[in-house]
Amino acid sequence: MTTGRSLEFGIFDHLDRNDLPLADYYEERLKVIEAFDRAGFYAYHVAEHHFTPLGLAPSPSVFLSAIAQRTRQLRFGTFVYALPLHHPLRMIEELCMLDQISGGRLEIGFGRGSVPYEISYYGQDAEQRQQIYAERLELILKAFGSKTFTWKGQYDSFDNVPFEIEPLQKPHPPLWYGAHSPDSAERAARKGLNIVNNDMPAVTRATMARYREVWREVQGAAAPLPKMGMVRFIVVAESDNAALAIARRAYLRWRSSFLHLHDRHGTTPNSTLNAPSFDALAAQGQGVAGSPETVAAFLKPQLADSGANYVVGQMAFGDLTLAEMLQSVELFGSRVMPALRAA
């Protein structure tokens, strides 16, 4: 299936905890991100989480500003800024700064915050987070490029606020939306947003099919499609056995962090990513560990089936060592990317 856009590759990162001292942890991750830059990845997307080992970028903008200085071509952004936890005016100013200091390499994902406990810890009503997100997204998009801005809403009100800063990309940096169903894909297509999906292959296929259908209704058949991203856990090594041994160990550490707040509150996340093992995750189509040939063979049919034009690898997770991550990135860039593009 043609997608209207050449195949590109990105990275999703929870920035989840391992056993390194924090200063060493951040430095190692920045070294891996430099490797993403060298390998030709399009963009790096980091999650925002709070009070949990699942995410050590509670201020994504701070971490992204370091990436801006350590890379040259790599674009970067969030999956996602949790808008209920960000004052919208401060959010706009930070985004403008990041876009300017990076030479226009910012990509932005906004959301409501996936874990309600994180919102509640801030004293916010987690039950209201969807409504707050929706209002603040509309506010931010209208405010980009404004010289003065007035807003009267349910959650925020401003009167004649002057802006002295603007984004380098006009009218604003590219926007992303996590689409997990045909209905959410339709909303994203009507707004012209790039989408990303980390669900099982059947859901990915249905979501992207609806996105393409609505996009062509709204934009016309000739309009090039935005990015439609498919997120998968990926570990590459010289042999299948070596890669599987690494992935099996690292996934369990990631899963422990993923469950941390749910365990604390006696709940279970409603997510297919909560698989009991990496082998189970791979069996349901959401992760692969192997040689470059095995990884390419896993991804090729999913790309053909879904029509995705953006492969987003979760390649830094759990207790992966720096050497394991760098090997995985090098092999993926030199052998998997060319094989997938050729296909």
Side-chain angles (χ1 to χ4, degrees), residues 40-270:
F41 284 86
Y42 172 81
Y44 169 91
H45 310 268
V46 69
E48 176 186 346
H49 285 286
H50 300 268
F51 315 113
T52 170
L54 180 62
L56 299 183
S59 177
S61 296
V62 171
F63 191 63
L64 295 176
S65 66
I67 294 174
Q69 302 305 305
R70 297 281 288 261
T71 59
R72 292 295 172 262
Q73 303 297 323
L74 186 72
R75 299 178 66 82
F76 54 80
T78 50
F79 284 168
V80 295
Y81 280 111
L83 282 183
L85 300 182
H86 294 274
H87 192 287
L89 296 182
R90 176 63 178 262
M91 183 88 273
I92 294 164
E93 292 182 315
E94 286 187 9
L95 295 173
C96 291
M97 285 183 67
L98 280 169
D99 202 37
Q100 292 285 350
I101 67 175
S102 67
R105 289 188 282 142
L106 183 63
E107 307 263 329
I108 311 171
F110 294 122
R112 65 177 186 168
S114 62
V115 183
Y117 311 118
E118 298 178 26
I119 309 299
S120 298
Y121 284 147
Y122 271 89
Q124 306 281 355
D125 182 357
E127 297 301 314
Q128 294 289 310
R129 68 190 193 281
Q130 176 63 35
Q131 297 93 311
I132 296 171
Y133 153 74
E135 180 179 305
R136 287 185 174 170
L137 175 60
E138 182 183 356
L139 183 167
I140 289 169
L141 294 183
K142 287 185 177 179
F144 269 129
S146 300
K147 296 301 182 184
T148 58
F149 185 68
T150 296
W151 177 269
K152 304 296 180 185
Q154 180 179 354
Y155 301 100
D156 298 289
S157 293
F158 317 113
D159 185 39
N160 205 32
V161 177
F163 281 113
E164 295 295 333
I165 190 169
E166 62 185 12
L168 184 59
Q169 300 175 88
K170 299 295 190 293
H172 50 69
L175 300 176
W176 289 83
Y177 185 76
H180 298 283
S181 68
D183 286 347
S184 61
E186 178 173 344
R187 292 193 295 272
R190 294 193 183 282
K191 292 181 178 180
L193 308 179
N194 301 288
I195 62 168
V196 66
N197 176 279
N198 65 355
D199 297 297
M200 293 169 67
V203 176
T204 302
R205 180 198 319 117
T207 299
M208 294 189 178
R210 182 57 179 159
Y211 183 91
R212 289 192 300 273
E213 180 182 11
V214 175
W215 174 264
R216 285 166 181 151
E217 288 175 5
V218 174
Q219 304 293 339
L225 284 161
K227 282 188 172 57
M228 300 179 295
M230 177 181 74
V231 182
R232 296 292 181 254
F233 281 81
I234 297 172
V235 174
V236 195
E238 289 291 355
S239 71
D240 290 354
N241 287 340
L244 278 167
I246 294 167
R248 285 165 175 159
R249 184 201 77 230
Y251 174 76
L252 292 179
R253 180 61 182 266
W254 175 87
R255 183 174 180 263
S256 174
S257 295
F258 183 67
L259 295 175
H260 177 79
L261 284 181
H262 292 278
D263 289 344
R264 188 181 182 94
H265 290 268
T267 60
T268 301
N270 181 23

Side-chain angles (χ1 to χ4, degrees), residues 278-316:
F278 189 84
D279 295 78
L281 187 79
Q284 62 196 33
Q286 292 174 282
V288 60
S291 68
E293 294 72 26
T294 295
V295 172
F298 173 90
L299 293 170
K300 282 177 186 177
Q302 290 203 20
L303 286 168
D305 182 53
S306 67
N309 56 23
Y310 190 44
V311 177
V312 185
Q314 193 160 346
M315 300 180 71

